[in-house]
Amino acid sequence: MMHWQILGPDGRVVREADQPCHNIVLNNAKELVATLGLFEQSNWAVVGTGSTAPAPTQTGLANEIARTNQTVSGNPDTVTEVSTGVWEITRYRQFTAAQVGNQNLTEWGFSGSGTPGNNLMCRELFRDGSNNPVTLTLDADQQLRLIYKVRVTVGPTTPQAASINITNLGVRTGQLILFRNNATSNLNPVDSLSTMARGMDGSYIAYNPSVISLNYNDPSGPFLSGGLGFFPASWQPYVSNSKKRTQNPQTRTTNEVVGTIRGIGLSDITGVGLYYYRVRLYFQFDSGQEIIKDNLHELTISGFEVQWT
């Protein structure tokens, strides 16, 4: 949803309305996940004077006038879980009178860039409380504030049947889950999955010899210590329009991860001594599917893959 407010020179709201947002998340937004993630692509508010009806294939406003990333004092950007796995991103952005005074504004959008152009993640017309298009006519000394909320659903928040392909051993089955918490890190799953989707450095793979509880809401994350080792992971280049990011295969040498491997976790950020605390995605082998790794063999696995729609 989006809520717009026209403010007078004293900062008081002189006119405002809630408006539902219909079909405004652009196809472009899905591609932007690979470079900007799920949060940064709504950092800038954009307004204009075009009247073309919004369509998913659009990438910019019909006639852009101004854009801003100016926040509102006392109203920080937030990422809040409103229900299991559903996270709401809230943005407060304000245009100055110098930007929008004496303008007749009809359209708006949000972008991850401060550069004018075709780089929007959403676009809509200004509407009243009944969803009718309206023109916002601002006096020379008036400002405009946009309050925008978008929801992102992440998962799996319950164990999901999955498999992993192991060179010379074949496919092993198990359960895949996303953890809400990662103990020592303040990152939420939206930020974590964004770094993965962008293929950013910092991801590590942890190998665990223990069976753990697969609980999305575990307050301490998947496991706190121990394990058979952690190793840096790298990501493959993004393929246009694929809406997924895939890791490169990972090979452990003969003297690494020796023991029974019952789970493999993906961390979202580096930090000496803290990798086990930061596991976010976790794959646990089904009973009888575990890997017994000795010191005579290497182990090569296909990497995790993050997808979005």
Side-chain angles (χ1 to χ4, degrees):
M1 59 84 64
M2 199 275 285
H3 183 88
W4 56 263
Q5 297 176 328
I6 297 176
L7 290 75
D10 58 359
R12 295 185 180 182
V13 177
V14 298
R15 185 183 175 194
E16 63 182 327
D18 279 321
Q19 66 173 81
C21 300
H22 297 290
N23 301 316
I24 66 162
V25 176
L26 305 174
N27 296 341
N28 193 46
K30 301 172 184 179
E31 286 298 285
L32 289 172
V33 172
T35 54
L36 296 176
L38 298 164
F39 184 72
E40 294 302 327
Q41 60 175 294
S42 60
N43 193 34
W44 292 76
V46 188
V47 292
T49 58
S51 59
T52 304
T57 54
Q58 296 166 352
T59 57
L61 296 187
N63 187 36
E64 180 176 336
I65 295 297
R67 61 177 60 197
T68 183
N69 66 347
Q70 180 61 50
T71 57
V72 178
S73 178
N75 293 281
D77 296 335
T78 59
V79 182
T80 306
E81 190 172 31
V82 295
S83 61
T84 301
V86 180
W87 293 78
E88 186 171 83
I89 301 168
T90 303
R91 299 286 200 180
Y92 291 81
R93 293 294 181 267
Q94 192 153 315
F95 294 87
T96 66
Q99 290 178 298
V100 296
N102 284 328
Q103 294 289 345
N104 296 309
L105 302 175
T106 53
E107 59 178 341
W108 61 273
F110 276 80
S111 172
S113 172
T115 302
N118 297 323
N119 48 33
L120 301 187
M121 60 86 62
C122 66
R123 177 183 178 268
E124 245 291 12
L125 302 178
F126 283 104
R127 300 178 186 272
D128 59 21
S130 299
N131 201 34
N132 299 308
V134 294
T135 298
L136 304 189
T137 300
L138 281 76
D139 295 338
D141 58 359
Q142 289 182 327
Q143 304 175 73
L144 176 67
R145 179 182 298 165
L146 302 186
I147 305 169
Y148 180 57
K149 295 184 177 183
V150 60
R151 289 185 176 180
V152 177
T153 301
V154 301
T157 57
T158 57
Q160 173 181 293
S163 62
I164 190 167
N165 186 25
I166 307 162
T167 300
N168 294 326
L169 292 182
V171 175
R172 297 291 177 96
T173 63
Q175 302 289 309
L176 179 70
I177 192 170
L178 174 75
F179 283 86
R180 183 185 190 276
N181 305 290
N182 57 357
T184 61
S185 172
N186 291 323
L187 287 177
N188 58 61
V190 174
D191 291 330
S192 297
L193 292 173
S194 291
T195 63
M196 297 173 190
R198 295 166 71 180
M200 298 177 67
D201 292 337
S203 294
Y204 271 66
I205 298 290
Y207 296 82
N208 187 25
S210 303
V211 175
I212 65 171
S213 174
L214 302 182
N215 180 5
Y216 168 77
N217 288 307
D218 184 348
S220 61
F223 50 98
L224 297 178
S225 62
L228 298 172
F230 53 88
F231 303 87
S234 61
W235 298 88
Q236 297 177 16
Y238 178 67
V239 177
S240 180
N241 295 314
S242 66
K243 301 177 184 62
K244 65 181 180 181
R245 179 79 71 168
T246 305
Q247 282 182 338
N248 290 307
Q250 184 167 113
T251 298
R252 303 276 54 88
T253 63
T254 55
N255 62 340
E256 294 175 330
V257 298
V258 175
T260 300
I261 302 171
R262 292 185 169 86
I264 301 175
L266 173 60
S267 70
D268 53 21
I269 191 170
T270 60
V272 176
L274 297 178
Y275 301 104
Y276 295 124
Y277 293 85
R278 299 177 187 269
V279 168
R280 180 70 76 183
L281 281 170
Y282 192 72
F283 175 85
Q284 184 159 277
F285 291 97
D286 292 334
S287 178
Q289 294 287 299
E290 306 89 345
I291 304 170
I292 300 176
K293 167 75 163 60
D294 59 27
N295 60 3
L296 300 176
H297 294 83
E298 292 184 341
L299 171 64
T300 299
I301 62 170
S302 54
F304 284 87
E305 184 173 86
V306 178
Q307 301 180 357
W308 56 93
T309 59

PDB file of all heavy atoms in Angstrom, residues 59-90:
ATOM      1  N   THR A  59       9.155   0.396 -16.942  1.00  0.00           N
ATOM      2  CA  THR A  59      10.386   0.480 -16.139  1.00  0.00           C
ATOM      3  C   THR A  59      10.607   1.870 -15.561  1.00  0.00           C
ATOM      4  O   THR A  59      11.525   2.061 -14.760  1.00  0.00           O
ATOM      5  CB  THR A  59      11.614   0.098 -16.979  1.00  0.00           C
ATOM      6  OG1 THR A  59      11.688   0.952 -18.126  1.00  0.00           O
ATOM      7  CG2 THR A  59      11.536  -1.356 -17.427  1.00  0.00           C
ATOM      8  N   GLY A  60       9.788   2.855 -15.961  1.00  0.00           N
ATOM      9  CA  GLY A  60       9.950   4.216 -15.462  1.00  0.00           C
ATOM     10  C   GLY A  60       8.635   4.960 -15.498  1.00  0.00           C
ATOM     11  O   GLY A  60       7.615   4.452 -15.994  1.00  0.00           O
ATOM     12  N   LEU A  61       8.644   6.178 -14.973  1.00  0.00           N
ATOM     13  CA  LEU A  61       7.457   7.025 -15.040  1.00  0.00           C
ATOM     14  C   LEU A  61       7.284   7.559 -16.462  1.00  0.00           C
ATOM     15  O   LEU A  61       8.233   7.615 -17.249  1.00  0.00           O
ATOM     16  CB  LEU A  61       7.584   8.196 -14.073  1.00  0.00           C
ATOM     17  CG  LEU A  61       7.660   7.866 -12.571  1.00  0.00           C
ATOM     18  CD1 LEU A  61       7.600   9.151 -11.750  1.00  0.00           C
ATOM     19  CD2 LEU A  61       6.546   6.915 -12.147  1.00  0.00           C
ATOM     20  N   ALA A  62       6.070   7.977 -16.772  1.00  0.00           N
ATOM     21  CA  ALA A  62       5.813   8.548 -18.095  1.00  0.00           C
ATOM     22  C   ALA A  62       6.488   9.911 -18.232  1.00  0.00           C
ATOM     23  O   ALA A  62       6.982  10.264 -19.309  1.00  0.00           O
ATOM     24  CB  ALA A  62       4.313   8.666 -18.327  1.00  0.00           C
ATOM     25  N   ASN A  63       6.531  10.685 -17.128  1.00  0.00           N
ATOM     26  CA  ASN A  63       7.186  12.003 -17.161  1.00  0.00           C
ATOM     27  C   ASN A  63       7.702  12.327 -15.762  1.00  0.00           C
ATOM     28  O   ASN A  63       7.028  12.970 -14.966  1.00  0.00           O
ATOM     29  CB  ASN A  63       6.216  13.084 -17.641  1.00  0.00           C
ATOM     30  CG  ASN A  63       6.922  14.415 -17.841  1.00  0.00           C
ATOM     31  OD1 ASN A  63       8.071  14.461 -18.263  1.00  0.00           O
ATOM     32  ND2 ASN A  63       6.237  15.499 -17.529  1.00  0.00           N
ATOM     33  N   GLU A  64       8.900  11.858 -15.470  1.00  0.00           N
ATOM     34  CA  GLU A  64       9.470  12.038 -14.135  1.00  0.00           C
ATOM     35  C   GLU A  64       9.810  13.499 -13.861  1.00  0.00           C
ATOM     36  O   GLU A  64      10.387  14.191 -14.697  1.00  0.00           O
ATOM     37  CB  GLU A  64      10.720  11.174 -13.991  1.00  0.00           C
ATOM     38  CG  GLU A  64      11.385  11.293 -12.631  1.00  0.00           C
ATOM     39  CD  GLU A  64      12.566  10.353 -12.464  1.00  0.00           C
ATOM     40  OE1 GLU A  64      12.613   9.323 -13.170  1.00  0.00           O
ATOM     41  OE2 GLU A  64      13.442  10.655 -11.632  1.00  0.00           O
ATOM     42  N   ILE A  65       9.480  13.949 -12.631  1.00  0.00           N
ATOM     43  CA  ILE A  65       9.765  15.315 -12.193  1.00  0.00           C
ATOM     44  C   ILE A  65      10.863  15.350 -11.147  1.00  0.00           C
ATOM     45  O   ILE A  65      11.761  16.191 -11.180  1.00  0.00           O
ATOM     46  CB  ILE A  65       8.492  15.991 -11.633  1.00  0.00           C
ATOM     47  CG1 ILE A  65       7.454  16.145 -12.742  1.00  0.00           C
ATOM     48  CG2 ILE A  65       8.818  17.349 -11.010  1.00  0.00           C
ATOM     49  CD1 ILE A  65       7.901  17.042 -13.886  1.00  0.00           C
ATOM     50  N   ALA A  66      10.798  14.423 -10.175  1.00  0.00           N
ATOM     51  CA  ALA A  66      11.777  14.459  -9.084  1.00  0.00           C
ATOM     52  C   ALA A  66      11.847  13.094  -8.418  1.00  0.00           C
ATOM     53  O   ALA A  66      10.927  12.282  -8.510  1.00  0.00           O
ATOM     54  CB  ALA A  66      11.383  15.525  -8.057  1.00  0.00           C
ATOM     55  N   ARG A  67      12.969  12.850  -7.727  1.00  0.00           N
ATOM     56  CA  ARG A  67      13.105  11.665  -6.885  1.00  0.00           C
ATOM     57  C   ARG A  67      13.902  12.039  -5.639  1.00  0.00           C
ATOM     58  O   ARG A  67      14.710  12.963  -5.657  1.00  0.00           O
ATOM     59  CB  ARG A  67      13.730  10.485  -7.628  1.00  0.00           C
ATOM     60  CG  ARG A  67      15.117  10.658  -8.176  1.00  0.00           C
ATOM     61  CD  ARG A  67      15.621   9.355  -8.840  1.00  0.00           C
ATOM     62  NE  ARG A  67      14.793   8.905  -9.946  1.00  0.00           N
ATOM     63  CZ  ARG A  67      14.823   7.668 -10.447  1.00  0.00           C
ATOM     64  NH1 ARG A  67      15.657   6.763  -9.920  1.00  0.00           N
ATOM     65  NH2 ARG A  67      14.038   7.310 -11.449  1.00  0.00           N
ATOM     66  N   THR A  68      13.648  11.293  -4.544  1.00  0.00           N
ATOM     67  CA  THR A  68      14.299  11.614  -3.286  1.00  0.00           C
ATOM     68  C   THR A  68      14.483  10.358  -2.451  1.00  0.00           C
ATOM     69  O   THR A  68      13.690   9.426  -2.525  1.00  0.00           O
ATOM     70  CB  THR A  68      13.470  12.637  -2.478  1.00  0.00           C
ATOM     71  OG1 THR A  68      14.170  12.981  -1.282  1.00  0.00           O
ATOM     72  CG2 THR A  68      12.110  12.064  -2.089  1.00  0.00           C
ATOM     73  N   ASN A  69      15.553  10.362  -1.645  1.00  0.00           N
ATOM     74  CA  ASN A  69      15.721   9.342  -0.614  1.00  0.00           C
ATOM     75  C   ASN A  69      15.733   9.978   0.768  1.00  0.00           C
ATOM     76  O   ASN A  69      16.233   9.393   1.731  1.00  0.00           O
ATOM     77  CB  ASN A  69      16.992   8.520  -0.846  1.00  0.00           C
ATOM     78  CG  ASN A  69      18.258   9.359  -0.692  1.00  0.00           C
ATOM     79  OD1 ASN A  69      18.211  10.582  -0.647  1.00  0.00           O
ATOM     80  ND2 ASN A  69      19.398   8.698  -0.609  1.00  0.00           N
ATOM     81  N   GLN A  70      15.170  11.200   0.866  1.00  0.00           N
ATOM     82  CA  GLN A  70      15.102  11.920   2.138  1.00  0.00           C
ATOM     83  C   GLN A  70      14.125  11.221   3.076  1.00  0.00           C
ATOM     84  O   GLN A  70      12.950  11.043   2.762  1.00  0.00           O
ATOM     85  CB  GLN A  70      14.643  13.358   1.913  1.00  0.00           C
ATOM     86  CG  GLN A  70      14.529  14.187   3.182  1.00  0.00           C
ATOM     87  CD  GLN A  70      15.842  14.336   3.912  1.00  0.00           C
ATOM     88  OE1 GLN A  70      16.848  14.690   3.303  1.00  0.00           O
ATOM     89  NE2 GLN A  70      15.861  14.044   5.199  1.00  0.00           N
ATOM     90  N   THR A  71      14.630  10.801   4.247  1.00  0.00           N
ATOM     91  CA  THR A  71      13.776  10.131   5.220  1.00  0.00           C
ATOM     92  C   THR A  71      13.029  11.158   6.067  1.00  0.00           C
ATOM     93  O   THR A  71      13.268  12.360   5.980  1.00  0.00           O
ATOM     94  CB  THR A  71      14.614   9.215   6.120  1.00  0.00           C
ATOM     95  OG1 THR A  71      15.638   9.989   6.769  1.00  0.00           O
ATOM     96  CG2 THR A  71      15.284   8.115   5.299  1.00  0.00           C
ATOM     97  N   VAL A  72      12.126  10.672   6.898  1.00  0.00           N
ATOM     98  CA  VAL A  72      11.315  11.522   7.764  1.00  0.00           C
ATOM     99  C   VAL A  72      11.751  11.323   9.205  1.00  0.00           C
ATOM    100  O   VAL A  72      11.795  10.187   9.689  1.00  0.00           O
ATOM    101  CB  VAL A  72       9.809  11.191   7.611  1.00  0.00           C
ATOM    102  CG1 VAL A  72       8.975  12.040   8.550  1.00  0.00           C
ATOM    103  CG2 VAL A  72       9.377  11.399   6.163  1.00  0.00           C
ATOM    104  N   SER A  73      12.095  12.384   9.882  1.00  0.00           N
ATOM    105  CA  SER A  73      12.568  12.299  11.257  1.00  0.00           C
ATOM    106  C   SER A  73      11.553  11.568  12.143  1.00  0.00           C
ATOM    107  O   SER A  73      10.354  11.865  12.114  1.00  0.00           O
ATOM    108  CB  SER A  73      12.804  13.704  11.816  1.00  0.00           C
ATOM    109  OG  SER A  73      13.224  13.650  13.160  1.00  0.00           O
ATOM    110  N   GLY A  74      12.037  10.594  12.901  1.00  0.00           N
ATOM    111  CA  GLY A  74      11.169   9.827  13.786  1.00  0.00           C
ATOM    112  C   GLY A  74      10.452   8.682  13.125  1.00  0.00           C
ATOM    113  O   GLY A  74       9.707   7.946  13.784  1.00  0.00           O
ATOM    114  N   ASN A  75      10.661   8.506  11.823  1.00  0.00           N
ATOM    115  CA  ASN A  75      10.010   7.418  11.087  1.00  0.00           C
ATOM    116  C   ASN A  75      11.049   6.676  10.254  1.00  0.00           C
ATOM    117  O   ASN A  75      11.127   6.852   9.018  1.00  0.00           O
ATOM    118  CB  ASN A  75       8.907   7.967  10.183  1.00  0.00           C
ATOM    119  CG  ASN A  75       7.758   8.552  10.961  1.00  0.00           C
ATOM    120  OD1 ASN A  75       6.899   7.844  11.473  1.00  0.00           O
ATOM    121  ND2 ASN A  75       7.751   9.876  11.068  1.00  0.00           N
ATOM    122  N   PRO A  76      11.868   5.851  10.884  1.00  0.00           N
ATOM    123  CA  PRO A  76      12.905   5.137  10.149  1.00  0.00           C
ATOM    124  C   PRO A  76      12.325   4.040   9.262  1.00  0.00           C
ATOM    125  O   PRO A  76      11.213   3.554   9.489  1.00  0.00           O
ATOM    126  CB  PRO A  76      13.760   4.528  11.264  1.00  0.00           C
ATOM    127  CG  PRO A  76      12.790   4.330  12.395  1.00  0.00           C
ATOM    128  CD  PRO A  76      11.853   5.502  12.318  1.00  0.00           C
ATOM    129  N   ASP A  77      13.083   3.670   8.243  1.00  0.00           N
ATOM    130  CA  ASP A  77      12.707   2.514   7.434  1.00  0.00           C
ATOM    131  C   ASP A  77      12.715   1.274   8.320  1.00  0.00           C
ATOM    132  O   ASP A  77      13.583   1.114   9.189  1.00  0.00           O
ATOM    133  CB  ASP A  77      13.696   2.317   6.286  1.00  0.00           C
ATOM    134  CG  ASP A  77      13.683   3.471   5.299  1.00  0.00           C
ATOM    135  OD1 ASP A  77      12.650   4.153   5.212  1.00  0.00           O
ATOM    136  OD2 ASP A  77      14.707   3.679   4.630  1.00  0.00           O
ATOM    137  N   THR A  78      11.752   0.400   8.109  1.00  0.00           N
ATOM    138  CA  THR A  78      11.651  -0.808   8.932  1.00  0.00           C
ATOM    139  C   THR A  78      11.413  -2.035   8.075  1.00  0.00           C
ATOM    140  O   THR A  78      10.884  -1.945   6.960  1.00  0.00           O
ATOM    141  CB  THR A  78      10.504  -0.694   9.960  1.00  0.00           C
ATOM    142  OG1 THR A  78       9.260  -0.492   9.255  1.00  0.00           O
ATOM    143  CG2 THR A  78      10.741   0.458  10.922  1.00  0.00           C
ATOM    144  N   VAL A  79      11.825  -3.187   8.609  1.00  0.00           N
ATOM    145  CA  VAL A  79      11.502  -4.495   8.035  1.00  0.00           C
ATOM    146  C   VAL A  79      10.934  -5.320   9.178  1.00  0.00           C
ATOM    147  O   VAL A  79      11.653  -5.676  10.112  1.00  0.00           O
ATOM    148  CB  VAL A  79      12.738  -5.178   7.426  1.00  0.00           C
ATOM    149  CG1 VAL A  79      12.346  -6.506   6.788  1.00  0.00           C
ATOM    150  CG2 VAL A  79      13.410  -4.283   6.401  1.00  0.00           C
ATOM    151  N   THR A  80       9.646  -5.625   9.120  1.00  0.00           N
ATOM    152  CA  THR A  80       8.937  -6.247  10.234  1.00  0.00           C
ATOM    153  C   THR A  80       8.198  -7.491   9.764  1.00  0.00           C
ATOM    154  O   THR A  80       7.548  -7.477   8.711  1.00  0.00           O
ATOM    155  CB  THR A  80       7.922  -5.261  10.850  1.00  0.00           C
ATOM    156  OG1 THR A  80       8.589  -4.051  11.202  1.00  0.00           O
ATOM    157  CG2 THR A  80       7.273  -5.865  12.086  1.00  0.00           C
ATOM    158  N   GLU A  81       8.272  -8.556  10.552  1.00  0.00           N
ATOM    159  CA  GLU A  81       7.531  -9.769  10.219  1.00  0.00           C
ATOM    160  C   GLU A  81       6.092  -9.624  10.704  1.00  0.00           C
ATOM    161  O   GLU A  81       5.836  -9.498  11.905  1.00  0.00           O
ATOM    162  CB  GLU A  81       8.186 -10.995  10.844  1.00  0.00           C
ATOM    163  CG  GLU A  81       7.599 -12.302  10.338  1.00  0.00           C
ATOM    164  CD  GLU A  81       8.357 -13.528  10.797  1.00  0.00           C
ATOM    165  OE1 GLU A  81       8.932 -13.488  11.908  1.00  0.00           O
ATOM    166  OE2 GLU A  81       8.393 -14.531  10.071  1.00  0.00           O
ATOM    167  N   VAL A  82       5.142  -9.646   9.771  1.00  0.00           N
ATOM    168  CA  VAL A  82       3.733  -9.462  10.116  1.00  0.00           C
ATOM    169  C   VAL A  82       3.005 -10.789  10.289  1.00  0.00           C
ATOM    170  O   VAL A  82       1.941 -10.846  10.915  1.00  0.00           O
ATOM    171  CB  VAL A  82       3.021  -8.588   9.068  1.00  0.00           C
ATOM    172  CG1 VAL A  82       3.593  -7.178   9.091  1.00  0.00           C
ATOM    173  CG2 VAL A  82       3.137  -9.186   7.672  1.00  0.00           C
ATOM    174  N   SER A  83       3.538 -11.848   9.720  1.00  0.00           N
ATOM    175  CA  SER A  83       3.067 -13.213   9.946  1.00  0.00           C
ATOM    176  C   SER A  83       4.220 -14.127   9.553  1.00  0.00           C
ATOM    177  O   SER A  83       5.232 -13.662   9.012  1.00  0.00           O
ATOM    178  CB  SER A  83       1.802 -13.521   9.134  1.00  0.00           C
ATOM    179  OG  SER A  83       2.041 -13.409   7.748  1.00  0.00           O
ATOM    180  N   THR A  84       4.094 -15.399   9.846  1.00  0.00           N
ATOM    181  CA  THR A  84       5.222 -16.312   9.630  1.00  0.00           C
ATOM    182  C   THR A  84       5.739 -16.240   8.192  1.00  0.00           C
ATOM    183  O   THR A  84       5.022 -16.557   7.242  1.00  0.00           O
ATOM    184  CB  THR A  84       4.810 -17.755   9.957  1.00  0.00           C
ATOM    185  OG1 THR A  84       4.373 -17.814  11.314  1.00  0.00           O
ATOM    186  CG2 THR A  84       5.993 -18.700   9.770  1.00  0.00           C
ATOM    187  N   GLY A  85       6.983 -15.783   8.043  1.00  0.00           N
ATOM    188  CA  GLY A  85       7.617 -15.718   6.740  1.00  0.00           C
ATOM    189  C   GLY A  85       7.210 -14.542   5.887  1.00  0.00           C
ATOM    190  O   GLY A  85       7.725 -14.385   4.776  1.00  0.00           O
ATOM    191  N   VAL A  86       6.300 -13.698   6.365  1.00  0.00           N
ATOM    192  CA  VAL A  86       5.852 -12.528   5.607  1.00  0.00           C
ATOM    193  C   VAL A  86       6.433 -11.273   6.260  1.00  0.00           C
ATOM    194  O   VAL A  86       6.099 -10.942   7.401  1.00  0.00           O
ATOM    195  CB  VAL A  86       4.317 -12.434   5.545  1.00  0.00           C
ATOM    196  CG1 VAL A  86       3.893 -11.200   4.744  1.00  0.00           C
ATOM    197  CG2 VAL A  86       3.731 -13.698   4.924  1.00  0.00           C
ATOM    198  N   TRP A  87       7.287 -10.593   5.524  1.00  0.00           N
ATOM    199  CA  TRP A  87       7.997  -9.423   6.044  1.00  0.00           C
ATOM    200  C   TRP A  87       7.547  -8.177   5.306  1.00  0.00           C
ATOM    201  O   TRP A  87       7.437  -8.164   4.087  1.00  0.00           O
ATOM    202  CB  TRP A  87       9.503  -9.617   5.893  1.00  0.00           C
ATOM    203  CG  TRP A  87      10.013 -10.723   6.768  1.00  0.00           C
ATOM    204  CD1 TRP A  87       9.919 -12.072   6.542  1.00  0.00           C
ATOM    205  CD2 TRP A  87      10.657 -10.584   8.029  1.00  0.00           C
ATOM    206  NE1 TRP A  87      10.475 -12.778   7.577  1.00  0.00           N
ATOM    207  CE2 TRP A  87      10.945 -11.888   8.502  1.00  0.00           C
ATOM    208  CE3 TRP A  87      11.048  -9.486   8.803  1.00  0.00           C
ATOM    209  CZ2 TRP A  87      11.580 -12.110   9.721  1.00  0.00           C
ATOM    210  CZ3 TRP A  87      11.684  -9.700  10.015  1.00  0.00           C
ATOM    211  CH2 TRP A  87      11.946 -11.000  10.464  1.00  0.00           C
ATOM    212  N   GLU A  88       7.256  -7.125   6.081  1.00  0.00           N
ATOM    213  CA  GLU A  88       6.771  -5.866   5.524  1.00  0.00           C
ATOM    214  C   GLU A  88       7.869  -4.810   5.589  1.00  0.00           C
ATOM    215  O   GLU A  88       8.380  -4.485   6.653  1.00  0.00           O
ATOM    216  CB  GLU A  88       5.542  -5.391   6.292  1.00  0.00           C
ATOM    217  CG  GLU A  88       4.889  -4.158   5.692  1.00  0.00           C
ATOM    218  CD  GLU A  88       3.565  -3.861   6.359  1.00  0.00           C
ATOM    219  OE1 GLU A  88       3.580  -3.226   7.441  1.00  0.00           O
ATOM    220  OE2 GLU A  88       2.515  -4.270   5.831  1.00  0.00           O
ATOM    221  N   ILE A  89       8.217  -4.265   4.421  1.00  0.00           N
ATOM    222  CA  ILE A  89       9.199  -3.191   4.305  1.00  0.00           C
ATOM    223  C   ILE A  89       8.437  -1.874   4.240  1.00  0.00           C
ATOM    224  O   ILE A  89       7.557  -1.696   3.392  1.00  0.00           O
ATOM    225  CB  ILE A  89      10.056  -3.372   3.043  1.00  0.00           C
ATOM    226  CG1 ILE A  89      10.793  -4.719   3.075  1.00  0.00           C
ATOM    227  CG2 ILE A  89      11.038  -2.210   2.879  1.00  0.00           C
ATOM    228  CD1 ILE A  89      11.428  -5.105   1.753  1.00  0.00           C
ATOM    229  N   THR A  90       8.762  -0.940   5.141  1.00  0.00           N
ATOM    230  CA  THR A  90       8.090   0.355   5.184  1.00  0.00           C
ATOM    231  C   THR A  90       9.088   1.466   4.900  1.00  0.00           C
ATOM    232  O   THR A  90      10.152   1.532   5.521  1.00  0.00           O
ATOM    233  CB  THR A  90       7.427   0.607   6.548  1.00  0.00           C
ATOM    234  OG1 THR A  90       6.507  -0.451   6.828  1.00  0.00           O
ATOM    235  CG2 THR A  90       6.679   1.935   6.557  1.00  0.00           C
TER     236      THR A  90
END
